[in-house]
Amino acid sequence: MSLPHVLLGLLSRGPASGWDLHARMSRDPSLGWDADLAQIYPALRLLLRGGFIAMKRRRSVKGPARREYRVTSAGLREFREWLAEPPGLPRTKDTALARLAFLEKLRPVDRRARLVAYRGLVAEALRAAAPVSTAAKRRRRALLETELAWVDAEAMLLAVQAGDG
Amino acid sequence: MSLPHVLLGLLSRGPASGWDLHARMSRDPSLGWDADLAQIYPALRLLLRGGFIAMKRRRSVKGPARREYRVTSAGLREFREWLAEPPGLPRTKDTALARLAFLEKLRPVDRRARLVAYRGLVAEALRAAAPVSTAAKRRRRALLETELAWVDAEAMLLAVQAGDG
DNA sequence: CGGCAGTATATGGAGAGTTATATACTTTCC
DNA sequence: GGAAAGTATATAACTCTCCATATACTGCCG
């Protein structure tokens, strides 16, 4: 049950609509959480009913009326409690990684292709990672760089083995 | 829809029961996938009905009869097709990370405590990471090491700032 | 004027994943 | 002999997540 808490956290940085929250989440992968609008709207409604956030309708510059939310003191308290919970590594669930884990099942040629494709993804993500400012962003950047280095190392290894064979 | 394919992949390394598959997944985090038994059993049943795997009952050394599965050629074909699909980075969903992203919401003292707690988790995972053999394991190890370095760098930064204040 | 793109809200339904619970067989320890 | 611990399978009930779809308002382009 993290989504509501992440929403509270984002709102603690400033009022926002569901649309805004979604934009913030998908724009910033260093946040560690991303959700669909179809999930955000009901979550906001629940938070509202629970008194953790407050809502105000506002005319939109473009499009239908916005619903702008802000955290209440109860919401802030709830958020802080969540922050204080002991951390725990999550159950990994990563399709790209799962595929890479079975790299040995492919012929070297295909293996190489797989690595190249993955490298493209990582390089792209790295380009998108803005010049570093927050701790979370520094972390993301470092991890992406390591990932890239790993891909290159594995590709090199493959090349060497091909040379031997 | 990754779980069935990961199961096929694991079975392609050798026959196993649901129990075994679960054990393999949770023992090896470099695999990038982990699922609950309650999810594995129904998945195996579907794969069986689809003809992707075959089942044989076997007496267990200890406990009730095991159901041992192996991939069929249809299963192997299906697995290879999945492997060939273009990769894509998944939607991030990581509670620990989400909490760290809001580090700035804490007082420096608590921030430090949070980092220390997280460091413990990462260090533990790193200890558990077996001496490196497969590409996926090398990747995991490298990422954990980077993570550890990041935590330490952030802690250092905090200390410096505290010195300034 | 009509259509398209962008902003904004919302719901329905399918599928994925978790938690709790039940059953059953074996070995070990008291 | 009984309780506990480990192996093994299974289901029910629930929550979470994703995808498709609907509605509606605005500005812009042709």
Side-chain angles (χ1 to χ4, degrees):
Chain A
M1 260 246 307
S2 286
L3 176 59
H5 293 107
V6 170
L7 293 176
L8 287 177
L10 285 174
L11 286 174
S12 78
R13 291 177 179 171
S17 68
W19 183 266
D20 295 339
L21 291 167
H22 176 242
R24 285 189 202 174
M25 277 197 255
S26 46
R27 206 185 311 125
D28 179 9
S30 78
L31 185 58
W33 208 266
D34 190 14
D36 196 271
L37 274 172
Q39 207 187 341
I40 292 172
Y41 287 123
L44 284 173
R45 193 120 48 101
L46 281 178
L47 285 170
L48 187 63
R49 274 200 284 175
F52 300 109
I53 59 179
M55 190 264 285
K56 202 190 279 184
R57 268 168 240 268
R58 269 181 191 265
R59 281 207 315 285
S60 169
V61 181
K62 192 177 171 180
R66 296 160 54 81
R67 294 173 165 231
E68 230 176 57
Y69 299 91
R70 61 173 180 77
V71 269
T72 61
S73 52
L76 214 55
R77 201 159 41 237
E78 175 60 36
F79 174 65
R80 278 192 216 289
E81 269 169 41
W82 175 75
L83 267 192
E85 276 173 29
L89 294 175
R91 201 174 278 228
T92 49
K93 213 141 267 185
D94 182 336
T95 318
L97 175 46
R99 282 208 188 82
L100 288 173
F102 290 110
L103 225 50
E104 88 264 8
K105 288 282 158 194
L106 295 174
R107 287 168 309 156
V109 186
D110 298 329
R111 220 179 289 180
R112 191 173 167 66
R114 221 90 272 279
L115 282 175
V116 168
Y118 189 62
R119 190 190 199 283
L121 280 182
V122 177
E124 170 64 26
L126 200 51
R127 262 194 302 280
V132 171
S133 49
T134 67
K137 281 178 185 163
R138 280 190 288 274
R139 176 184 175 280
R140 179 166 164 83
R141 184 167 201 98
L143 288 177
L144 285 173
E145 277 164 0
T146 300
E147 187 104 277
L148 206 61
W150 169 76
V151 173
D152 288 338
E154 294 300 330
M156 191 86 75
L157 224 92
L158 266 182
V160 169
Q161 285 166 3
D164 285 354
Chain B
M1 262 246 306
S2 285
L3 175 60
H5 293 106
V6 171
L7 292 176
L8 287 177
L10 285 173
L11 287 174
S12 79
R13 291 176 180 171
S17 69
W19 183 267
D20 295 338
L21 291 167
H22 176 241
R24 285 189 201 175
M25 277 197 254
S26 45
R27 206 184 311 123
D28 178 10
S30 78
L31 184 59
W33 209 265
D34 189 14
D36 196 273
L37 273 173
Q39 205 187 344
I40 293 170
Y41 287 124
L44 285 173
R45 192 119 51 97
L46 280 177
L47 285 170
L48 186 62
R49 273 201 284 173
F52 301 108
I53 59 178
M55 192 262 286
K56 202 189 280 183
R57 268 166 239 267
R58 269 180 191 266
R59 280 206 318 284
S60 168
V61 182
K62 190 177 172 179
R66 295 161 51 82
R67 292 171 167 233
E68 231 176 57
Y69 299 92
R70 59 170 181 80
V71 270
T72 61
S73 52
L76 212 56
R77 198 156 44 234
E78 175 60 35
F79 173 65
R80 279 194 216 286
E81 268 169 43
W82 175 75
L83 267 193
E85 277 173 28
L89 293 176
R91 205 176 278 231
T92 50
K93 214 140 266 183
D94 181 335
T95 317
L97 176 45
R99 281 205 189 82
L100 289 173
F102 291 110
L103 225 50
E104 88 265 7
K105 288 281 156 193
L106 295 173
R107 288 167 310 156
V109 186
D110 297 330
R111 222 179 288 181
R112 192 171 167 68
R114 220 92 272 278
L115 282 176
V116 169
Y118 189 61
R119 189 189 200 284
L121 279 181
V122 177
E124 171 64 27
L126 200 51
R127 261 195 303 280
V132 172
S133 49
T134 66
K137 281 179 184 161
R138 279 191 288 273
R139 175 184 176 279
R140 178 165 166 84
R141 183 165 202 100
L143 288 177
L144 285 172
E145 277 164 0
T146 299
E147 185 104 47
L148 205 62
W150 168 76
V151 173
D152 288 339
E154 294 300 329
M156 192 84 78
L157 224 92
L158 266 182
V160 169
Q161 284 164 4
D164 287 352

